[in-house]
Amino acid sequence: MPDSVKKRKYDYTLLTALFLLLLIGLVILYSTSAYNGEVKFHDSFYYLKKQVFATSLGIAGMFLMAQIDYRILRKFAVPAYLAAVLLSVAVLLVGDEYNGSKRWLSLGPFSFQPSEFAKIAVILFLSAVVTKNADKMGQMRTLLKIMLSVLPIAGLVGASNLSTAIIILGIAVTLVFTASPKYGQFIWMGVIGCGFMAVFLALESYRLERLAIWRNPEAYEKGYQTLQGLYAIGSGGLFGRGLGESVQKLGFVPEAQNDMIFSIICEELGLFGAGFILLLFLILIWRFFRIASHAEDFFGALIAAGAMAHMMIQVILNIAVVTNTIPNTGITLPFISYGGTSVVFLLMEMGVVLSVSSLVK
């Protein structure tokens, strides 16, 4: 490892915001999941214990990745992407299905979602590809070639997890946009993307049903979760009912510790509490932007830009779903929602960004 990496300091503002989110997330997760844990597993700490274990693994992975010179990862970008494709194929063939979605692979007593690994694999892969083609990014042919290269993983993941496919495509567009000197080409890419999305939605009837539920949740039984989430948000007011005092988490919002956890945050902590959490996410995104702007090389800048796009898109999608601004896509709130695979790979992604920040002057 070069001496310069050992001597440089990491972005401590990013680390502070990150650890605050992790700590607040664990407290909120316990408050939200204690009832479900007691009812289903006779252990109010069930979800918290699993999340603490995953978070501990993720923090260890984050600091390990932070110690590695991120430039070495360029050699592993293509293998990581191919591994993500193979794992996604494995999910379709032998994946485990929970709550109607086939997204998990089991390895003995452990199960994980390959789609979470796919996000960081795509960031590394596209950062390497765009860096290699940096002098040709003004050509439409190059842009299309790069975007086409991520369609296999987007299609495979999107077959069972549309929201993650949207995030992957969003990361791709952000990285290509960052490197391209001509912005007019993105109009055509937007038209093609809308066409692709329309076909993708039409392939499965349940996706069109989600659009109908979004427009009129009161008319559908499946709109129950959305309505209960909105009741939770509305009942929180400015300052909330108080930590642990949510009514909607007592079985009214199904699986409240997952995708809909932001509605319980609003109910218990109110607008001010939810606003503080959003402020922490904004600080993370700002630090990603600063690291990307001051990175030592183009590859590092693209990694930070990809992480910024990932965080920004996922937070926006989650909150938009919870507030019924967009149809339900089943996306978690980073570092807050329950999910071991998500927090482990998110923290490892943060470790790669920290490695980039260690060389920022």
Side-chain angles (χ1 to χ4, degrees):
M1 184 182 299
D3 291 338
S4 58
V5 175
K6 295 179 182 178
K7 292 177 182 178
R8 296 186 192 281
K9 296 181 179 180
Y10 300 117
D11 191 316
Y12 292 114
T13 304
L14 185 152
L15 276 173
T16 301
L18 176 59
F19 278 106
L20 278 173
L21 274 172
L22 289 172
L23 181 61
I24 292 171
L26 291 173
V27 172
I28 291 171
L29 178 68
Y30 173 68
S31 173
T32 305
S33 66
Y35 174 81
N36 282 335
E38 186 65 41
V39 169
K40 293 184 177 182
F41 305 101
H42 307 291
D43 182 2
S44 61
F45 291 94
Y46 176 81
Y47 292 102
L48 179 65
K49 287 187 289 190
K50 295 188 74 172
Q51 191 76 352
V52 167
F53 175 71
T55 302
S56 301
L57 282 181
I59 290 173
M62 178 181 73
F63 284 114
L64 176 64
M65 297 302 294
Q67 291 296 317
I68 298 173
D69 188 335
Y70 68 89
R71 292 168 292 195
I72 296 173
L73 299 177
R74 190 170 174 180
K75 300 176 184 177
F76 301 98
V78 174
Y81 178 74
L82 293 176
V85 171
L86 291 175
L87 287 171
S88 298
V89 172
V91 168
L92 295 180
L93 297 177
V94 296
D96 299 323
E97 186 172 322
Y98 297 104
N99 296 325
S101 298
K102 186 183 282 189
R103 300 179 183 179
W104 286 263
L105 276 181
S106 293
L107 295 173
F110 299 100
S111 62
F112 73 104
Q113 294 188 61
S115 59
E116 297 298 332
F117 168 69
K119 295 173 189 175
I120 187 170
V122 165
I123 291 173
L124 292 175
F125 172 71
L126 285 179
S127 297
V129 171
V130 171
T131 300
K132 184 178 180 180
N133 294 276
D135 57 337
K136 296 182 287 186
M137 291 304 294
Q139 302 174 14
M140 187 66 177
R141 182 175 60 182
T142 303
L143 299 187
L144 290 175
K145 182 174 70 175
I146 292 173
M147 291 301 297
L148 285 172
S149 70
V150 299
L151 287 186
I153 190 68
L156 288 167
V157 169
S160 59
N161 193 341
L162 179 60
S163 54
T164 300
I166 292 171
I167 291 172
I168 288 172
L169 291 174
I171 291 170
V173 170
T174 300
L175 291 180
V176 171
F177 182 82
T178 301
S180 176
K182 298 179 181 178
Y183 299 148
Q185 300 168 122
F186 287 87
I187 297 175
W188 292 107
M189 290 181 66
V191 172
I192 294 171
C194 289
F196 174 78
M197 190 61 64
V199 172
F200 203 76
L201 288 171
L203 287 176
E204 296 285 352
S205 59
Y206 77 87
R207 292 177 184 141
L208 295 177
E209 184 185 30
R210 284 184 178 181
L211 289 174
I213 294 171
W214 167 59
R215 293 180 62 186
N216 190 13
E218 296 93 344
Y220 296 85
E221 184 180 345
K222 291 182 179 179
Y224 176 81
Q225 184 184 49
T226 298
L227 291 174
Q228 295 301 321
L230 292 174
Y231 294 153
I233 294 171
S235 64
L238 287 176
F239 302 103
R241 294 175 177 269
L243 188 64
E245 299 300 318
S246 166
V247 174
Q248 297 302 114
K249 70 184 180 185
L250 303 178
F252 295 101
V253 176
E255 301 290 335
Q257 69 275 3
N258 294 331
D259 307 341
M260 300 296 289
I261 198 167
F262 188 73
S263 64
I264 307 303
I265 292 172
C266 291
E267 184 182 7
E268 293 192 346
L269 305 181
L271 179 63
F272 279 89
F276 178 71
I277 290 172
L278 291 181
L279 177 63
L280 292 176
F281 280 120
L282 284 173
I283 291 172
L284 278 186
I285 292 167
W286 164 55
R287 299 313 295 177
F288 292 150
F289 178 78
R290 187 184 181 282
I291 292 167
S293 301
H294 296 82
E296 183 156 290
D297 59 12
F298 194 40
F299 180 62
L302 289 173
I303 288 175
M308 179 184 72
H310 176 193
M311 187 66 60
M312 187 165 55
I313 294 168
Q314 189 157 335
V315 170
I316 290 172
L317 284 180
N318 177 268
I319 294 173
V321 166
V322 171
T323 57
N324 202 37
T325 307
I326 64 172
N328 196 324
T329 59
I331 194 72
T332 57
L333 186 62
F335 308 118
I336 307 290
S337 295
Y338 173 70
T341 308
S342 174
V343 76
V344 167
F345 283 110
L346 271 169
L347 285 168
M348 291 182 70
E349 185 179 316
M350 296 304 102
V352 179
V353 176
L354 286 172
S355 178
V356 177
S357 78
S358 69
L359 293 180
V360 171
K361 297 180 179 179

